[in-house]
Amino acid sequence: MSEKQFEHIKVELDSDNNYAVVSINRPDKLNALHNITLKEIADALESMAFKKSVRCVVLRGTKDYTKKPAFSAGADLSSRGDQELDPKNLMDQSNAMYVRQKYYDIIERFPKPLIAAVDGYALGGGFELALVCDIIIASKRSTFGFPEIKRGIAPFNGGTQRLIRNLGKIRTKTVIFFGEHYSAEEMYNWGVISFLVDDDKFEEFIYQKASWLGNAPTKSLFVIKKAIDYGSQTPLNIGLQFEYLGYGINSQSKDVIEGVTAFLQKREPKFTGE
Ligand code: COA
């Protein structure tokens, strides 16, 4: 069921399983990311933060594979946006980067589980987009990389900063300095992606994981996500305070009572997200 109409993305809901699917819908450009695309993704997520019926979001590329399967081939190189900027004006250039980074930040801070479902290319800004998601599920035929260096540019929508946190300094520099493509299997072995799935099992696998998260205790997932995302950027003693505070918030949820009661009654819990 389609919700609001967007220009570059499509939003669908699986109301039975409480999750939404946001698909980048630019098959002609392998889902390249214009600022409009990023803004629409950020806007869609912001509105879904308030929707009780959405407890997980899947971010993916369109299933229209007329050209090639792609999550996203990165920044839209055909976009005219940057040409309107004066290349000699440093503030103009920095502000353009500020605008793009802002969308990635909004997407990363989404308070519910966000799955990147990668089938095909996840390059440049597309790889950076997957890196701001909580879980990355990739089909075996997918490829990842930062080709920016081959275009004389740099992966500065968080690429240098987020990849290093998963991959370490040496491998991050190798990936970015040479701009090569890496198979999903390599990324999986390096711990950058969460699940590696056979191409023909990809859709079913996405459905299973999104349904599980859509029916999970949403408030627990919220405090866990924030504790991991922000705790990992602080010393241990401060990170532990996120657990301390998060425990208090989570203990107010109905799902805590349901989870423990169901265990004691030897039945499956039915979490409502409340
Ligand atoms: N921006 C705009 N359009 C893009 C694009 C991008 N980042 N990536 C691909 N496209 C377009 C191509 O121009 C092509 O359009 P056309 O059919 O109208 O000519 C179409 O998508 C298909 O791409 P094509 O290059 O023909 O497919 P391929 O399978 O041979 O190669 C890629 C696929 C992704 C390896 C190649 O397109 C590529 O290197 N794209 C740029 C990736 C990149 O540098 N990203 C970082 C940008 S900072």
Side-chain angles (χ1 to χ4, degrees), residues 13-242:
L13 299 178
D14 181 332
S15 333
D16 292 340
N17 292 296
N18 315 310
Y19 72 86
V21 179
V22 174
S23 307
I24 306 166
N25 192 24
R26 309 189 77 207
D28 286 354
K29 294 178 185 289
L30 304 185
N31 300 323
L33 301 166
H34 190 281
N35 274 2
I36 293 172
T37 328
L38 291 166
K39 181 175 186 324
E40 287 188 353
I41 296 169
D43 285 352
L45 290 178
E46 276 187 327
S47 75
M48 287 188 287
F50 293 94
K51 264 188 183 276
K52 285 195 176 151
S53 56
V54 175
R55 290 160 59 189
C56 168
V57 175
V58 175
L59 181 57
R60 62 175 299 155
T62 171
K63 288 184 198 170
D64 178 346
Y65 294 158
T66 314
K67 290 205 169 160
K68 290 275 171 65
F71 176 70
S72 167
D76 186 342
L77 295 171
S78 64
S79 157
R80 302 167 69 101
D82 293 348
Q83 289 167 17
E84 289 159 15
L85 300 173
D86 175 358
K88 293 193 191 117
N89 185 332
L90 279 182
M91 271 321 281
D92 261 15
Q93 296 299 330
S94 293
N95 287 340
M97 186 49 74
Y98 156 70
V99 170
R100 285 180 75 83
Q101 279 195 352
K102 180 187 71 175
Y103 297 131
Y104 283 85
D105 287 346
I106 292 171
I107 297 165
E108 186 171 45
R109 288 168 57 193
F110 183 59
K112 301 171 188 176
L114 185 56
I115 297 175
V118 177
D119 186 21
Y121 294 113
L123 301 175
F127 190 9
E128 287 166 320
L129 192 57
L131 288 172
V132 296
C133 297
D134 302 305
I135 300 287
I136 303 177
I137 300 173
S139 63
K140 286 191 176 159
R141 66 178 165 183
S142 300
T143 46
F144 294 78
F146 284 124
E148 281 87 343
I149 199 69
K150 294 185 171 168
R151 325 273 175 245
I153 42 185
F156 280 172
N157 292 307
T160 63
Q161 299 307 300
R162 291 196 177 92
L163 190 62
I164 196 175
R165 283 163 167 78
N166 297 5
L167 204 50
K169 199 160 94 174
I170 293 291
R171 275 190 175 147
T172 297
K173 283 184 179 167
T174 308
V175 171
I176 294 176
F177 279 20
F178 295 98
E180 288 174 7
H181 291 189
Y182 294 83
S183 69
E185 195 167 356
E186 267 170 310
M187 285 293 160
Y188 179 73
N189 291 336
W190 287 352
V192 176
I193 66 176
S194 326
F195 298 101
L196 181 66
V197 189
D198 285 335
D199 299 343
D200 60 348
K201 307 237 165 58
F202 181 73
E203 296 299 337
E204 174 60 23
F205 195 85
I206 300 299
Y207 168 77
Q208 279 174 14
K209 294 299 174 207
S211 300
W212 197 92
L213 289 168
N215 289 290
T218 308
K219 286 186 181 160
S220 308
L221 287 165
F222 166 67
V223 290
I224 292 167
K225 174 168 175 166
K226 296 298 164 187
I228 293 173
D229 283 351
Y230 293 98
S232 59
Q233 298 178 49
T234 65
L236 179 65
N237 63 335
I238 297 178
L240 288 171
Q241 300 311 303
F242 289 105

Side-chain angles (χ1 to χ4, degrees), residues 240-261:
L240 288 171
Q241 300 311 303
F242 289 105
E243 291 194 350
Y244 168 69
L245 295 170
Y247 189 87
I249 295 170
N250 190 45
S251 65
Q252 308 294 313
S253 75
K254 290 183 184 158
D255 284 341
V256 172
I257 298 168
E258 167 62 7
V260 177
T261 309

